[in-house]
Amino acid sequence: MTSSPDPVGTTHPRLAARRGGTAGTWWSKAVLRSVEEAAYSATDLRRGRALARAGSVGSITVSEGRAVAAVSEGQDAFTVEVTVPVLDDTDAAAFTELVAAEAGRIAALMAGQLPLALVESMEEAGVELLPYGGELGSACTCDAWLDPCPHALAVLTQLGWLIQVDPFVLTHLRGLSRDRVLRDLHRIGRPSGSAAPLAAESLGDSTASGDPDRLDDLLVAEDAAARAAQLLELESPFDPI
C-alpha cells in the first residue's frame, strides 16, 4: 500500500545553460549513472546531455513518483514525463526511522547533503533510495520509439543536477517530499533521543527537549536556513557531470 499522490508537486526554476564539467556529489553521480544505464545508446545520451547543458529544459515540476518538464529542440517543443517508483508505506516509515535514528542526519539533509551511512543503513533494511536504470520510466510527445528518448534523458540529467544541490528532490520522487519528511519526523519525535536532539544540535541549542512545539520551531528554522543556503548556491551554478 502506498500513500496518496501529491497532486501539486514542487516546481524547480529553469536551469541556465552551462558548460560541461566533472564536479558532482557521490549521490548525484549515482543518479546520473542510472541515467546512463537507462539510455539505449551513447548517441542518445550525448544528445540528451547536450540539450540539458544548453538550457533546453524548462522548469521541472517534481511530485511523488514523477517529474514533468518541457524540452525545446530547434523550433519544436516537447512535453516529457519521467517516472520513478515511490516507496511503499513500510519503506517510507523505515526511511523516517533511519533519519531519526542518528543525530545529524536531518541536519545534513537540510544542508543539502545525503549521508552515505544513511543510504547504507537503508540498503541494509532493504530500502532502495537511489534508483537504478531499469526503474526510470518516461513518456514524451516526440515521435521517438525509444524509452527514454533524448528529451527524457535531458530531463533526467537535470534532475540529477537538482538532486546534487537538494537530496529532497530525490526523496520527493520516491514519495517523500520535504514537508512530509519533516512532518513524519515531528510525529515520531520523542524525548529519548531521535528527532528533537538532532534538530537542536544543528542549531547549537543544547537546552531543547522533546517538546513537540519546540521541535516544530527548530525544524521550521532549519528549513528556512537551508532554503536560503540553496538560493545562494544557485546564484553560483555548479559544474555538473
Side-chain angles (χ1 to χ4, degrees), residues 161-179:
W161 301 349
L162 291 173
I163 289 168
Q164 175 176 327
V165 176
D166 183 4
F168 280 114
V169 175
L170 174 60
T171 65
H172 199 171
L173 285 169
R174 286 300 202 183
L176 295 166
S177 67
R178 175 195 299 265
D179 290 343

Side-chain angles (χ1 to χ4, degrees), residues 132-215:
Y132 58 87
E135 288 186 303
L136 303 178
S138 68
C140 180
T141 56
C142 74
D143 57 4
W145 60 271
L146 295 176
D147 175 15
C149 67
H151 309 113
L153 290 169
V155 174
L156 288 166
T157 297
Q158 286 209 359
L159 279 172
W161 301 349
L162 291 173
I163 289 168
Q164 175 176 327
V165 176
D166 183 4
F168 280 114
V169 175
L170 174 60
T171 65
H172 199 171
L173 285 169
R174 286 300 202 183
L176 295 166
S177 67
R178 175 195 299 265
D179 290 343
R180 179 179 170 184
V181 171
L182 296 179
R183 184 176 66 248
D184 289 351
L185 285 170
H186 175 82
R187 184 178 298 119
I188 69 170
R190 47 190 177 271
S192 60
S194 299
L198 57 90
E201 177 184 326
S202 68
L203 294 176
D205 184 351
S206 61
T207 63
S209 68
D211 176 69
D213 292 333
R214 178 58 174 160
L215 172 58

Side-chain angles (χ1 to χ4, degrees), residues 14-15 17 47-60 68-80 140-142 149-152 154-155 158:
R14 182 175 191 152
L15 296 176
R47 184 176 161 196
R49 286 175 171 173
L51 288 169
R53 289 170 177 154
S56 299
V57 179
S59 58
I60 301 177
V68 177
V71 179
S72 58
E73 186 175 27
Q75 299 300 312
D76 298 317
F78 307 98
T79 300
V80 175
C140 180
T141 56
C142 74
C149 67
H151 309 113
V155 174
Q158 286 209 359

Side-chain angles (χ1 to χ4, degrees), residues 22 83 93 133 192 232:
T22 57
T83 58
S192 60
L232 289 174

Side-chain angles (χ1 to χ4, degrees), residues 56-140:
S56 299
V57 179
S59 58
I60 301 177
T61 299
V62 177
S63 55
E64 295 180 3
R66 65 196 291 264
V68 177
V71 179
S72 58
E73 186 175 27
Q75 299 300 312
D76 298 317
F78 307 98
T79 300
V80 175
E81 177 184 20
V82 298
T83 58
V84 181
V86 300
L87 301 179
D88 62 26
D89 288 346
T90 299
D91 288 348
F95 171 84
T96 304
E97 292 287 350
L98 288 169
V99 170
E102 185 173 310
R105 284 180 174 174
I106 184 58
L109 287 171
M110 298 296 289
Q113 301 293 314
L114 182 60
L116 177 59
L118 171 60
V119 175
E120 290 176 337
S121 295
M122 291 183 65
E123 291 177 349
E124 291 173 0
V127 181
E128 296 291 340
L129 182 62
L130 294 167
Y132 58 87
E135 288 186 303
L136 303 178
S138 68
C140 180

